[in-house]
Amino acid sequence: MGSNSNNNTTLQDLATLAGVSVSTVSRALNDHPLISTRTKQRVWALARDHDYPFKPTMPAGPIGAVGSIAIVTPVMRGRPLPLSHPFFLELLANIGEAARERDCDFTVSHTSPTSFDDLIVAATTSRADGLIFLGQSMLHEEFNRLAETNARFVVWGAQLPGQRYCSIGSDNLLGGGRATRHLARLGRRRILFLGGSDPEAMQRRRGYQEALAESGLEADPDLIVPVEFELESAYAAVSGLLRRGVAFDGVVAASDLIALGAIQALRRGGKSVPQDVSVVGYDDMLLSRLSTPTLSTVRQDTFAAGRLLVSRIMDKDGHQESKRLPTELIVRESCGG
């Protein structure tokens, strides 16, 4: 571990090494709000490097926990990922259940990184054993750089070319293709794709495009529409297409929330689902089983995801390879077949 395995390092030693007073070191180790983040980073790094027994004095959670994990949500399109998003609520719940099985605490961090420096701050000023990042946002290269440090972390998201960090996620390419091929088999010929620019949605879009080509269907650029992972964004986009008279008879959505927004817009625009337009979502949130019509979707296994994400942090003996979870097409009423 560090350079002083007998835990003989004192507060005075740390103060000398950091070039600050003993009281500053003491406050930094106890996360005092008057001490700057930069100073805390330096002091905590020195404490770790010299095996100073500071962790017992600054518990990350209730006494008796085997470990602790911090959940961090990167900024997506200028704002933090909304924790109210139903899919992420389900994923958080399964991370919590997996952590509880391991007698491990987990917290949701207030930080929302937008840069490599932000990632470093999140990783080095956390009292947790490791961090789970929910989503890659546009930070792929920054995560690659973070992987070169001693930070312990895992990312929920896509697997990308040249990736040097561990990510857990579904097979987005296969999932997007599966949804599209199903609509093509139902006889749908003008299939719309609704999704954002994040890595997972882009892979689902690529699966959609490859499935169109395999099915002998034309890839119309007008039928690839960028939307946020929000019901309102999808509703506005589909309403706009209907007003402009753009013809389509199928929808592949990058999330269930997007699909539900599309269905709402279609119904208000006088279109019947699934008679006029078949719709497939992605996630299999609880809401998709309760909607009218019930939503056909590509299931992501959030139960398995929670266990894998937690194990990548808590299992210290390797097992840091990325993993793609299998997807399953769940056919319900919104497809009509």
Side-chain angles (χ1 to χ4, degrees):
M1 279 271 300
S3 59
N4 189 339
S5 59
N6 294 320
N7 289 344
N8 293 326
T9 304
T10 66
L11 283 177
Q12 181 63 62
D13 293 333
L14 293 180
T16 302
L17 289 164
V20 297
S21 68
V22 171
S23 64
T24 296
V25 169
S26 178
R27 287 179 172 186
L29 293 176
N30 286 283
D31 201 16
H32 196 286
L34 292 180
I35 304 301
S36 72
T37 297
R38 191 178 293 264
T39 299
K40 288 176 188 173
Q41 281 182 265
R42 190 163 75 252
V43 170
W44 292 1
L46 286 167
R48 285 194 183 93
D49 288 345
H50 293 267
D51 281 350
Y52 180 79
F54 70 107
K55 281 209 169 186
T57 68
M58 42 182 290
I63 301 301
V66 169
S68 63
I69 294 171
I71 311 295
V72 182
T73 56
V75 166
M76 302 274 285
R77 292 170 292 279
R79 63 190 183 92
L81 177 82
L83 290 174
S84 58
H85 192 291
F87 171 73
F88 286 104
L89 280 177
E90 291 185 22
L91 183 56
L92 271 174
N94 281 293
I95 290 171
E97 291 295 341
R100 187 155 58 183
E101 284 180 15
R102 303 284 297 261
D103 293 326
C104 175
D105 290 323
F106 85 105
T107 58
V108 178
S109 172
H110 70 282
T111 60
S112 294
T114 61
S115 66
F116 176 68
D117 286 345
D118 289 347
L119 294 180
I120 284 288
V121 168
T124 59
T125 62
S126 171
R127 306 179 195 183
D129 294 283
L131 288 83
I132 296 173
F133 291 95
L134 293 188
Q136 285 147 314
S137 185
M138 300 301 156
L139 296 173
H140 172 60
E141 290 305 329
E142 288 78 3
F143 280 125
N144 269 346
R145 289 175 64 191
L146 189 64
E148 294 170 1
T149 72
N150 61 0
R152 191 168 190 87
F153 72 99
V154 61
V155 178
W156 167 264
Q159 188 157 12
L160 302 170
Q163 183 167 308
R164 298 193 295 277
Y165 57 91
C166 175
S167 70
I168 303 296
S170 74
D171 190 331
N172 297 296
L173 198 67
L174 183 61
R178 198 167 262 165
T180 307
R181 278 188 289 272
H182 180 68
L183 294 186
R185 282 195 296 270
L186 293 177
R188 302 304 185 179
R189 291 294 172 261
R190 298 269 300 165
I191 301 173
L192 174 69
F193 180 85
L194 300 172
S197 56
D198 59 281
E200 290 181 285
M202 294 298 286
Q203 289 185 347
R204 292 166 198 175
R205 186 175 101 174
R206 189 150 60 90
Y208 153 86
Q209 290 170 314
E210 290 178 3
L212 285 182
E214 290 171 20
S215 304
L217 299 178
E218 179 189 355
D220 185 342
D222 289 341
L223 296 182
I224 296 178
V225 180
V227 300
E228 309 295 348
F229 270 85
E230 299 168 347
L231 189 142
E232 296 81 6
S233 179
Y235 178 85
V238 172
S239 296
L241 292 173
L242 294 174
R243 279 196 305 273
R244 295 197 304 275
V246 177
F248 58 94
D249 55 9
V251 175
V252 170
S255 80
D256 286 349
L257 216 53
I258 290 172
L260 294 173
I263 289 173
Q264 190 178 57
L266 287 165
R267 295 171 88 178
R268 290 192 181 170
K271 299 289 186 183
S272 175
V273 178
Q275 288 80 2
D276 298 324
V277 182
S278 294
V279 179
V280 184
Y282 201 109
D283 287 336
D284 193 30
M285 306 180 318
L286 176 61
L287 281 176
S288 67
R289 288 158 253 171
L290 304 176
S291 66
T292 304
T294 53
L295 182 64
S296 297
T297 185
V298 177
R299 175 178 289 163
Q300 299 200 86
D301 189 344
T302 55
F303 177 77
R307 297 174 79 91
L308 281 168
L309 289 164
V310 169
S311 71
R312 290 301 189 272
I313 300 300
M314 298 308 297
D315 294 342
K316 304 294 197 289
D317 55 345
H319 304 298
Q320 290 302 299
E321 75 278 2
S322 295
K323 186 170 179 63
R324 296 308 97 197
L325 296 166
T327 56
E328 181 184 358
L329 179 68
I330 308 297
V331 177
R332 299 195 182 100
E333 295 168 350
S334 68
C335 274

